[in-house]
């Protein structure tokens, strides 16, 4: 094994950090040979490359990100736009994004759009000014506007769970909302429910319309007429679930089951049902969507549709990395959901 000379050893303890020039002098090779070896170029003899890399390790050499970006025109940074950093759904998605990014030596900048379309565009433009190599936008509120942005900025953008209708122009990773929603309603129908309500999200855009579509189509297949009074919309948060459920509880004929746009809505609905003196699932069954971490700890544990949040984050990053290399990749990827059966849904009262 190669060992450093006293001159090389001094590089580690000296004030100046080792450079390619220093490594070239120690290895007695050219600067370009060192550069190629550190980039694992096949043009460098294996024995020489191993010697150079060992010197680099022992001398504490670290490549300059700035210098590398000037040579490659890449910064090895990526931008991620989220609707809310406080959203537990976002946390799991971002964890998947960062895992895949780190595996390919990319750093991630995170920015919050607060679900504001104008702010989302500003954040995307600010990432462009930072010279990021690519951008992932979660739950985009301005999907259709990315057509001119993509043309103007020339930066690959991947939308994850795009909330805006359309978006055929952009690459995206989405949950298969209609199919996932149908699986939830099919389960409630099998339990014997016929009067099933839906609490949506008035800001949900395409995800809400698709989940509502799955709800309606499954009821239609079961021969159950659509009842508009059983569909109400909150704000996708717990407080919206409380208010929406209160409206359903004022109906002369109560629903025996409620399918919610997301788990946070279901948490609010659960509280409203209990405050009304009713039980879940004894009086009203409840099904959520997302399978957030808290879903298994509600009382009773929440039956819900799982979105593979971590995997979706990794998949969005994989698509972005392919775009950066010029490789072909599917434009619109739909990921299946999975119904997770716990204890918040049961046959309606009087049936078993």
């Amino acid at each position: 094994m190669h060992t450093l000379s006293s001159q090389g050893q001094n590089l580690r303890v000296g004030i100046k950090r080792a450079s390619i020039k220093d490594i070239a002098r120690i290895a007695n090779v050219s600067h370009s040979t060192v550069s190629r070896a550190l980039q694992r170029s096949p043009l460098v003899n294996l024995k020489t490359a191993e010697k150079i890399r060992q010197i680099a390790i022992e001398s504490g050499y670290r490549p300059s990100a700035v210098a590398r970006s000037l040579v490659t025109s890449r910064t090895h940074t990526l931008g991620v736009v989220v609707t809310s950093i406080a959203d537990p759904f976002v946390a799991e998605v971002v964890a998947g994004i960062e895992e895949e990014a780190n595996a390919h030596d990319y750093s991630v900048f995170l920015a919050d759009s607060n679900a504001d379309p104008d702010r989302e565009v500003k954040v995307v433009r600010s990432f462009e000014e930072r010279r990021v190599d690519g951008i992932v936008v979660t739950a985009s509120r301005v999907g259709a506007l990315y057509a001119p942005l993509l043309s103007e900025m020339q930066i690959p953008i991947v939308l994850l769970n795009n909330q805006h209708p359309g978006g055929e122009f952009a690459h995206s990773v989405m949950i298969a909302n209609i199919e996932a929603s149908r699986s939830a309603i099919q389960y409630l129908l099998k339990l014997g429910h016929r009067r099933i309500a839906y609490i949506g999200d008035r800001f949900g855009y395409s995800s809400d319309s698709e989940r509502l579509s799955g709800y309606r189509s499954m009821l239609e297949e079961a021969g159950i007429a659509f009842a508009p009074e059983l569909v109400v919309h909150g704000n996708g948060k717990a407080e919206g679930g409380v208010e929406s459920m209160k409206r359903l509880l004022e109906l002369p004929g109560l629903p025996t089951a409620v399918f919610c746009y997301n788990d946070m809505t279901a948490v609010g609905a659960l509280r409203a049902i209990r405050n009304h003196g009713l039980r879940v699932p004894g009086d009203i069954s409840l099904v959520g969507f997302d399978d957030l971490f808290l879903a298994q700890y509600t009382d009773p544990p929440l039956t819900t549709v799982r979105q593979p949040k971590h995997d979706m984050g990794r998949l969005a990053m994989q698509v972005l990395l392919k775009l950066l290399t010029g490789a072909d990749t599917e434009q619109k990827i739909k990921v299946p959901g999975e119904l997770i059966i716990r204890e918040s849904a049961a046959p309606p009262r009087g049936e078993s």
Side-chain angles (χ1 to χ4, degrees):
M1 179 181 290
H2 177 81
T3 56
L4 286 176
S5 64
S6 59
Q7 182 181 19
Q9 291 169 349
N10 288 336
L11 289 173
R12 295 197 66 168
V13 297
I15 297 175
K16 182 180 177 182
R17 189 171 66 182
S19 66
I20 285 180
K21 181 179 179 180
D22 296 321
I23 297 171
R25 185 178 68 252
I26 297 170
N28 195 27
V29 296
S30 68
H31 299 172
S32 59
T33 298
V34 172
S35 181
R36 291 191 188 102
L38 294 178
Q39 295 178 40
R40 299 189 179 276
S41 169
L43 299 177
V44 182
N45 175 276
L46 287 177
K47 186 175 181 180
T48 302
E50 182 182 350
K51 172 184 174 182
I52 290 170
R53 287 194 287 270
Q54 187 62 37
I55 292 173
I57 293 171
E58 293 180 5
S59 64
Y61 169 77
R62 291 181 180 177
S64 165
V66 174
R68 183 171 55 193
S69 70
L70 291 173
V71 174
T72 64
S73 297
R74 294 278 179 86
T75 62
H76 272 253
T77 59
L78 302 167
V80 177
V81 185
V82 301
T83 52
S84 172
I85 294 174
D87 187 337
F89 179 89
V90 166
E92 293 189 52
V93 168
V94 171
I97 290 173
E98 287 196 311
E99 179 180 303
E100 192 67 21
N102 291 338
H104 291 84
D105 297 322
Y106 276 87
S107 298
V108 173
F109 290 125
L110 188 66
D112 193 329
S113 71
N114 292 320
D116 182 335
D118 292 334
R119 178 171 170 78
E120 182 182 322
V121 173
K122 288 180 182 178
V123 169
V124 168
R125 289 193 176 279
S126 73
F127 277 146
E128 178 199 18
E129 293 170 1
R130 286 176 177 265
R131 295 184 64 243
V132 299
D133 295 333
I135 300 172
V136 175
V137 182
T138 69
S140 171
R141 262 49 180 183
V142 293
L145 293 182
Y146 283 106
L149 279 175
L150 284 168
S151 175
E152 176 187 336
M153 299 190 333
Q154 297 297 311
I155 294 177
I157 296 177
V158 176
L159 307 182
L160 196 155
N161 271 0
N162 175 28
Q163 299 283 22
H164 199 284
E168 296 296 333
F169 50 84
H171 287 80
S172 64
V173 175
M174 291 188 67
I175 190 74
N177 282 301
I178 295 176
E179 294 81 358
S181 175
R182 284 173 57 85
S183 70
I185 303 305
Q186 183 180 46
Y187 175 65
L188 290 172
L189 289 169
K190 285 183 177 179
L191 289 175
H193 294 279
R194 292 296 179 269
R195 191 164 172 78
I196 304 170
Y198 172 66
I199 301 179
D201 176 9
R202 61 178 177 269
F203 304 120
Y205 296 100
S206 61
S207 58
D208 174 69
S209 61
E210 288 180 356
R211 290 172 200 179
L212 178 58
S213 176
Y215 160 86
R216 293 190 62 166
S217 66
M218 202 67 236
L219 291 179
E220 182 180 346
E221 286 185 21
I224 299 173
F226 174 66
E229 71 274 11
L230 290 179
V231 175
V232 293
H233 283 79
N235 61 0
K237 300 177 181 179
E239 60 265 28
V242 170
E243 294 306 314
S244 297
M245 193 66 225
K246 283 181 179 178
R247 295 200 294 274
L248 291 173
L249 291 170
E250 291 171 356
L251 295 173
L254 293 182
T256 63
V258 180
F259 172 48
C260 297
Y261 171 80
N262 61 14
D263 288 349
M264 294 308 296
T265 297
V267 167
L270 177 61
R271 168 169 287 189
I273 292 169
R274 283 187 169 167
N275 289 346
H276 200 73
L278 300 176
R279 298 167 301 145
V280 174
D283 299 302
I284 298 177
S285 287
L286 201 59
V287 176
F289 200 108
D290 284 344
D291 192 29
L292 299 180
F293 178 74
L294 59 82
Q296 59 188 311
Y297 296 110
T298 58
D299 183 20
L302 185 65
T303 293
T304 184
V305 176
R306 174 179 292 165
Q307 293 202 60
K309 299 169 285 296
H310 189 275
D311 290 344
M312 289 172 71
R314 292 185 67 245
L315 185 55
M317 185 54 62
Q318 288 169 8
V319 171
L320 187 58
L321 292 171
K322 285 183 179 179
L323 292 173
L324 287 171
T325 62
D328 291 334
T329 181
E330 189 176 347
Q331 190 172 38
K332 197 169 186 178
I333 299 174
K334 292 254 185 167
V335 180
E338 178 187 2
L339 182 66
I340 304 299
I341 299 173
R342 295 195 178 100
E343 300 171 28
S344 65
R349 187 189 297 177
E351 297 190 26
S352 58

